[in-house]
């Protein structure tokens, strides 16, 4: 663009100067396509009214700022879009790092008792706030989230997210069988409460609803029918569930639904597949499953830290992508061991290594930003820093730890810098997190300190 004739930015905008990276397409798993991203070694992000006004080279854009505009200086940093998590459980913060079990025993021993506390509205409100503050401290600006079977838990999470103007998609968990008292819901109420929550929250501000049957084992046929009915009645809500995570789980589903040809066919039968459906895990699957996922547009959330921690298995990313299945990246806390999408990228890389597959750092950062925005149907508003999108972005610290500082001194190229951040980075590398142009987390501020104190206190 000819900057001498380009219009000045409006008064009241703010600007952030530093290395800036975002994606405009998919790089690919092996050789990254250089047309898939834009990188400015000395970049500028211009924000007004919660939205991106412009991004580009600082030398091009600085002359267009009105005199006196505040310009944040972020050398040794990286400005990127906010990270997006496509599968995480708000009530499972305290479940992280629970010792010695695999999925079904883990659910019974640790998870269900922890989730039972969310019948209490006050507890749900406190935990929802803590959960969002922790997401922000880990650089996550948007997520598809499981709450619990209690309507108050979903309400609390929506309400807290709305208070931050943060794009959260969640729903009341539907689970009316094969679970203890305190976390089971009533079949009819699961339908009516889901409807009430959709009417109240779906499309309110940045909030969206996801119909949330936990997994096929904890819903009766009637409840799965209701879930399908909700998806049909409200075609623009999302649907989230778990699928094909663990061998014992899969054998159980076979027993419970002998008339269905596969685990995927259970969800298919109840009308739960489609472009707005996100199935977490999808580890133990075959080419027939992949073809059906691709045909219906159903997405998988790849949850590497959970899949390794619970000993569930190694997700086959290359086969899913070769079959044109859309795959998002997710933490799955508390089966997962970190809310950090950087740590999640590192684990994804290791899972790919164990399968003899590649995950180059461009693809990993793409997946955690624009790719995940597309998986969740929110790329019109988030996922990169194109003008008009919400200004959800991060200032990453490339020198956040001794190991990162050491690598930084070696003057790494862009690929090296991204790889260092994804393999060695975690919440320490999050310097600031902005939601719709507002700083919601600042590692150096009293808010960052208060959050640390609240967790340790
Ligand atoms: N399958 C059913 N519920 C859950 C859960 O809470 N976490 C995981 N990882 N898998 C599940
Ligand atoms: Zn999960």
């Amino acid at each position: 663009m000819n900057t001498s004739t380009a219009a000045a930015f409006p008064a009241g905008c703010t600007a952030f100067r530093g290395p800036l990276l975002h994606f405009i397409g998919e790089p690919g798993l092996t050789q990254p396509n250089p047309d898939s991203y834009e990188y400015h070694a000395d970049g500028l992000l211009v924000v007004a009214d919660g939205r991106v006004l412009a991004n580009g080279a600082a030398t091009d854009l600085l002359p267009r700022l009105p005199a006196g505009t505040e310009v944040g200086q972020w050398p040794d940093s990286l400005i990127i879009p906010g990270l997006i998590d496509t599968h995480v459980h708000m009530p499972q913060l305290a479940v992280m790092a629970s010792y010695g079990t695999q999925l079904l025993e883990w659910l019974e021993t640790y998870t269900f008792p922890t989730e039972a506390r969310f019948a209490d509205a006050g507890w749900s409100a406190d935990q929802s706030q803590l959960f969002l503050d922790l997401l922000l401290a880990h650089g996550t600006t948007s997520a598809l989230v499981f709450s619990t079977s209690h309507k108050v838990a979903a309400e609390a999470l929506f309400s807290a997210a709305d208070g931050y103007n943060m794009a959260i998609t969640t729903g009341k968990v539907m689970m009316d069988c094969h679970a203890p008292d305190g976390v089971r819901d009533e079949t009819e109420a699961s339908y009516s409460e889901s409807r009430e929550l959709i009417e109240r929250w779906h499309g309110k501000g940045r909030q969206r609803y996801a119909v949330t049957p936990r997994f096929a084992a904890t819903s009766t046929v009637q409840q799965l029918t209701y879930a399908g009915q909700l998806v049909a009645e409200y075609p623009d809500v999302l649907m989230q569930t778990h699928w094909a995570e663990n061998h014992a789980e899969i054998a159980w589903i076979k027993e419970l639904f002998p008339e269905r040809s596969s685990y995927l066919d259970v969800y298919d039968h109840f009308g739960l597949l489609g472009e707005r459906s996100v199935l977490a895990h999808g580890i133990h699957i075959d080419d027939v499953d992949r073809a059906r996922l691709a045909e219906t547009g159903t997405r998988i959330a790849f949850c590497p830290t959970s899949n390794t921690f619970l000993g569930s298995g190694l997700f086959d990313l290359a086969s899913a992508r070769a079959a044109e299945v859309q795959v998002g990246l997710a933490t799955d806390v508390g089966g997962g061991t970190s809310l950090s999408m950087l740590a999640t990228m590192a684990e994804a890389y290791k899972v790919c290594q164990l399968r003899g597959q590649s995950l180059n750092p461009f693809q990993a950062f793409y997946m955690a930003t624009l790719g995940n925005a597309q998986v969740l149907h929110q790329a019109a508003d988030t996922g990169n820093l194109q003008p008009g999108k919400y200004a959800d972005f991060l200032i990453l610290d490339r020198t956040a730890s001794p190991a990162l500082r050491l690598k930084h001194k070696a003057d790494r190229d862009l690929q090296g810098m991204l790889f260092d951040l994804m393999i060695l980075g975690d919440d320490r590398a999050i310097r600031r997190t902005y939601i719709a142009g507002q700083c919601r987390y600042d590692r150096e501020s009293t808010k960052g300190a208060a959050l640390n104190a609240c967790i340790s206190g």
Side-chain angles (χ1 to χ4, degrees), residues 9 20 25 44 51 70 78 85 177 186 218 250 252 254 265 268 279 281-282 290 298 306 326 339 341 401 444:
F9 295 118
L20 183 151
L44 194 76
R51 303 262 182 179
E70 187 191 324
L78 183 66
D85 189 343
C177 65
E186 297 291 335
T218 47
I250 294 165
W252 191 24
K254 227 184 183 137
D265 188 46
D268 207 352
L279 311 185
H281 307 289
R290 291 186 194 95
T298 306
S306 170
Q326 285 216 51
L339 285 175
M341 289 299 293
S401 67
E444 266 81 47

Side-chain angles (χ1 to χ4, degrees), residues 239 241 243 264 267 273 277-282 293 298-301:
M239 198 291 298
T241 190
W243 173 56
L264 190 66
Y267 294 137
L273 303 187
S277 297
V278 180
L279 311 185
H281 307 289
L293 293 173
T298 306
R299 287 104 213 266
I300 293 179

Side-chain angles (χ1 to χ4, degrees), residues 245-381:
E245 176 177 4
N246 164 289
H247 289 300
E249 168 214 13
I250 294 165
W252 191 24
I253 300 294
K254 227 184 183 137
E255 269 174 44
L256 292 171
F257 299 91
E259 68 286 7
R260 302 269 64 93
S261 61
S262 68
Y263 195 164
L264 190 66
D265 188 46
V266 177
Y267 294 137
D268 207 352
H269 175 76
F270 290 101
L272 295 174
L273 303 187
E275 289 184 353
R276 303 184 86 80
S277 297
V278 180
L279 311 185
H281 307 289
I283 301 167
H284 307 290
I285 67 175
D286 61 20
D287 285 341
V288 177
D289 293 324
R290 291 186 194 95
R292 186 65 185 144
L293 293 173
E295 187 181 24
T296 56
T298 306
R299 287 104 213 266
I300 293 179
F302 171 23
C303 310
T305 72
S306 170
N307 296 348
T308 53
F309 178 75
L310 290 175
S312 301
L314 303 176
F315 178 68
D316 186 346
L317 179 60
S319 295
R321 292 305 295 129
E324 297 187 358
V325 177
Q326 285 216 51
V327 179
L329 196 57
T331 65
D332 192 30
V333 161
T337 48
S338 172
L339 285 175
S340 168
M341 289 299 293
L342 295 175
T344 303
M345 290 181 212
E347 197 79 349
Y349 178 82
K350 293 172 200 166
V351 167
C352 288
Q353 284 280 60
L354 286 164
R355 278 204 167 263
Q357 299 176 3
S358 306
L359 176 61
N360 78 73
F362 289 92
Q363 179 72 11
F365 273 84
Y366 158 81
M367 287 179 78
T369 55
L370 182 62
N372 278 358
Q374 286 166 345
V375 164
L376 301 186
H377 295 268
Q378 57 179 66
D381 275 333

